[in-house]
């Protein structure tokens, strides 16, 4: 069953949207996703994702994307949201207000990507790196072999 998008709220009150596809892939990758800023990265913005939660991460609350919806704890997708943990680094949290996190085919590779990121200037391409040090546009992504992670 397809989940519906949810809003994530940082402790400082910044709110960003997680699309249904992003939620589904977070679940596939173990239910945990940490968003952070590091050295290098795609287009030198240093925006990364990790399945490993660092010690000083800020936990986000996950809420229905539509606050007026009547989704309660028995609503479809509610169980999946409870099993998902999303956290952000302190330096990235303020830039996430109004952002949209998606998962799909971008530049021929399946990846997590900020499709909207108002707090960061310029294009916002970034992916879930799998191994190796940051290497700008050559940073390795989970789908570097282009096998299609949603087909696994």
């Amino acid at each position: 069953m397809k989940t519906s998008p949810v809003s994530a709220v940082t402790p400082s009150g910044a709110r960003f949207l997680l699309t249904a596809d992003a939620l589904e892939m977070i679940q596939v990758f173990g239910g945990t996703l940490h968003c952070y800023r590091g050295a290098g990265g795609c287009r030198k913005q240093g925006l990364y994702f990790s399945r490993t939660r660092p010690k000083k991460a800020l936990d986000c609350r996950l809420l229905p994307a539509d606050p007026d919806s009547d989704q309660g704890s028995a609503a479809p997708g509610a169980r999946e949201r409870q099993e998902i943990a999303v956290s952000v680094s302190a330096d990235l949290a303020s830039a996430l207000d109004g952002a949209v996190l998606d998962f799909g085919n971008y530049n021929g590779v399946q990846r997590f990507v900020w499709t909207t990121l108002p707090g960061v200037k310029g294009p916002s391409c970034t992916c879930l790196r799998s191994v190796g040090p940051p290497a700008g546009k050559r940073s390795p992504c989970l789908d570097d072999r282009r096998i299609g992670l949603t087909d696994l």
Side-chain angles (χ1 to χ4, degrees):
M1 177 187 322
K2 192 78 164 173
T3 61
S4 57
V6 299
S7 289
V9 182
T10 67
S12 63
R15 182 180 295 254
F16 60 98
L17 183 72
L18 292 108
T19 67
D21 290 332
L23 289 168
E24 184 177 339
M25 289 312 292
I26 293 170
Q27 190 69 35
V28 168
F29 290 135
T32 303
L33 186 70
H34 177 67
C35 311
Y36 67 99
R37 189 175 283 170
C42 186
R43 296 188 174 94
K44 298 183 181 180
Q45 293 181 41
L47 302 171
Y48 293 104
F49 300 100
S50 172
R51 294 183 301 175
T52 305
R53 187 184 188 285
K55 291 181 181 178
K56 295 184 179 182
L58 304 174
D59 291 322
C60 297
R61 288 180 323 189
L62 300 182
L63 307 168
D66 178 7
D68 297 329
S69 73
D70 58 353
Q71 287 185 335
S73 59
R79 188 172 145 255
E80 290 86 350
R81 282 193 297 274
Q82 291 171 356
E83 294 174 359
I84 291 176
V86 176
S87 62
V88 299
S89 61
D91 61 334
L92 182 59
S94 62
L96 294 179
D97 200 32
V100 176
L101 178 63
D102 194 15
F103 185 92
N105 285 316
Y106 294 94
N107 297 330
V109 178
Q110 288 189 342
R111 61 181 76 194
F112 284 101
V113 64
W114 294 106
T115 56
T116 303
L117 194 54
V120 174
K121 294 183 180 185
S124 53
C125 173
T126 184
C127 65
L128 176 58
R129 293 174 50 246
S130 56
V131 292
K137 291 181 181 178
R138 294 177 302 282
S139 293
C141 299
L142 286 179
D143 194 29
D144 271 345
R145 295 183 357 222
R146 291 171 167 72
I147 57 175
L149 300 173
T150 54
D151 299 329
L152 296 179

